[in-house]
Amino acid sequence: MKRREFLSAGLLGTLALSGCMPKLKVEQRGEYRYEIRLQAADFELIPGTQTPGLGFNGQYPSPIIRAKQGRPVIIDVINELDEPTTIHWHGIRIDIAMDGVPFLSQKPIMPGEHFRYEFIPPDAGTFWYHPHMNSVVQLGKGLVGLLLVEEADSSQFSPEDYAADLPLMLKNWHLNDDGSFKPLSIPRYAARMGTPGNYETINGLNRPAMTVPANAWVRLRFANVDNTVVYKLRVKDRPAYIVSIDANPLSEPKPLEHHSIGSGMRVDIAVKTPAAGEEIVIENGKGRLYFEFMRLRAEDRPLKKATATTAPMPLPNPLSEPELDKAEKKYFVFEWEGAVTPADKAGKSKHAFWTINRRAWEGMGPNNIPEPLAKLDLGKSYIFDLKNNTPHMHPIHMHGVMFKVIKSNKKNIEPFFTDTVLMEKNERVQIAFVADNPGRWMYHCHVIEHMKTGLMGYIEIS
């Protein structure tokens, strides 16, 4: 088999050769240290072609950053691009100074400059990292990577309860047949669901197949790092279970029929593999139809631990439970403005298609920070009432907090914690959380073109 057709999950399930990993140094005192460089680089995405992308350490798939719950992480980021950047650690509840939003939480990292990010992840799970500047281009050309936080030591759960742990980074590229880029954003699509890509990949491969241990539980960590696409996942003709949504374990395994993840969202799925030689097909739904997305082939492999009867469940993360009876309500309406501002002060056309509470994001700079969408009191419980008055889906993401989805007018909700909620067209959702992390936190749609054309703001907790 060619490497692009079959990749072993034995190397910690990363689908990566040794050259795809950043330099990692684990100190005796338990710190995890990384050095990551942002570089222009050519990738082979379509076999036999080269794509002029942007990569962390010049690579795609990007280096996987591994950390451990409650242990310090130090990441030195060196900008070798010809434009400014920052790095946001999506879903991690950290100090505002480390959140990676230009001007709001840090100065941009200019070309040739270096910035050190330091934090202690309080939560375990599947997270990811990406720039928060010129996002359509920097993310669209490859600057996306996974951050996996291993669960703290416990007698109740160990990551080794899974015989394999597969990080699966989903991205749909905008490519011509020769590997060059098509336009990453077209205004008429930005005003709808976003400019669609045309070349689907999982860890940089189209419809990959991987080997996994036979007759054992494996954990599939799906992360949607795409600018636009909603993926609708299912395991064909075999029982599978959702064990975690956006890094938050459920109270018990939930049987998987299908599960949709919008841009920025993640889901961990547990599946018991079949006998050696048999395969599992994983599909992606488009409309009412499903198509093969990837497959797993079971092989005989020694197991470190006996296989459990049911899907192993990680412990809940240490989140504050909102007091719903005392919570203050805030209302947010997401709407389609449907207008194009003819030009900005420099004479350049400036698109503004989307609004939050009839306000499009104004942009910001070193001496220009707009007013927040809401000011919250530290330690207080809040319910946000979100109303999507548009005919398109929006994955609404909040930095700095995990919120609890408690109600929807379109589907039955069993309350769960997350950092991003996928809102259907004309859906009204209520989320609740404790404002326990002080700072100015971005609050936006994670369809990157929606974010860049108005559907963004921030909340202030103080």
Side-chain angles (χ1 to χ4, degrees), residues 70-363:
R71 298 279 186 87
V73 182
I74 298 173
I75 306 167
D76 288 305
V77 173
I78 300 161
N79 182 11
E80 297 183 5
L81 306 177
D82 59 4
E83 63 183 24
T85 194
T86 60
I87 302 297
H88 168 59
W89 313 97
H90 183 113
I92 298 282
R93 297 184 296 138
I94 53 180
D95 185 275
I96 185 62
M98 297 291 109
D99 193 50
V101 175
F103 309 114
L104 200 65
S105 62
Q106 71 170 89
K107 294 179 180 179
I109 309 170
M110 303 303 291
E113 288 186 349
H114 146 270
F115 188 88
R116 173 169 286 182
Y117 292 93
E118 301 182 64
F119 52 87
I120 299 176
D123 307 318
T126 305
F127 303 93
W128 66 296
Y129 63 100
H130 62 82
H132 230 290
M133 294 193 71
N134 192 16
S135 302
V136 169
V137 172
Q138 292 191 17
L139 276 69
K141 289 193 172 184
L143 288 172
V144 291
L146 295 187
L147 168 58
L148 305 183
V149 182
E150 181 183 303
E151 292 80 3
D153 294 338
S154 167
S155 60
Q156 297 174 267
F157 175 82
S158 166
E160 291 187 355
D161 290 343
Y162 285 103
D165 203 349
L166 278 65
L168 301 167
M169 193 162 60
L170 314 182
K171 182 168 172 58
N172 201 4
W173 301 78
H174 301 67
L175 299 180
N176 295 305
D177 290 342
D178 63 359
S180 61
F181 279 105
K182 294 183 176 185
L184 298 175
S185 180
I186 298 172
R188 69 177 179 272
Y189 292 127
R192 294 172 175 83
M193 197 54 225
T195 305
N198 64 304
Y199 190 73
E200 289 182 340
T201 63
I202 300 176
N203 294 356
L205 301 175
N206 180 252
R207 293 179 63 189
M210 307 164 211
T211 60
V212 292
N215 301 309
W217 287 102
V218 297
R219 175 163 56 174
L220 311 178
R221 299 176 181 260
F222 290 98
N224 184 351
V225 301
D226 194 73
N227 283 17
T228 303
V229 171
V230 175
Y231 293 95
K232 188 177 179 181
L233 304 171
R234 79 174 184 184
V235 177
K236 184 179 180 181
D237 300 330
R238 188 164 190 87
Y241 301 88
I242 298 172
V243 294
S244 180
I245 294 175
D246 292 342
N248 287 284
L250 304 182
S251 58
E252 59 184 25
K254 179 182 178 181
L256 173 69
E257 295 181 9
H258 55 76
H259 184 79
S260 296
I261 53 172
S263 299
M265 300 173 72
R266 295 87 65 212
V267 63
D268 291 3
I269 294 172
V271 61
K272 181 80 172 291
T273 59
E278 296 183 29
E279 293 185 338
I280 298 173
V281 175
I282 296 167
E283 297 179 317
N284 177 34
K286 299 178 181 180
R288 296 183 179 181
L289 301 177
Y290 283 86
F291 302 88
E292 182 177 330
F293 199 34
M294 62 174 290
R295 61 178 55 207
L296 306 174
R297 176 175 290 177
E299 66 175 14
D300 283 325
R301 194 183 300 174
L303 302 179
K304 292 182 179 180
K305 299 183 71 171
T307 298
T309 305
T310 58
M313 288 299 298
L315 300 177
N317 287 319
L319 303 176
S320 299
E321 191 69 37
E323 297 183 272
L324 299 183
D325 57 336
K326 299 179 181 178
E328 180 181 345
K329 272 193 177 181
K330 300 282 187 180
Y331 295 87
F332 300 91
V333 179
F334 308 115
E335 291 184 291
W336 181 66
E337 189 175 51
V340 179
T341 304
D344 62 15
K345 293 180 180 179
K348 184 178 179 181
S349 60
K350 184 179 179 182
H351 303 294
F353 300 121
W354 308 94
T355 65
I356 303 176
N357 290 351
R358 299 189 177 183
R359 174 183 163 191
W361 176 240
E362 302 95 325

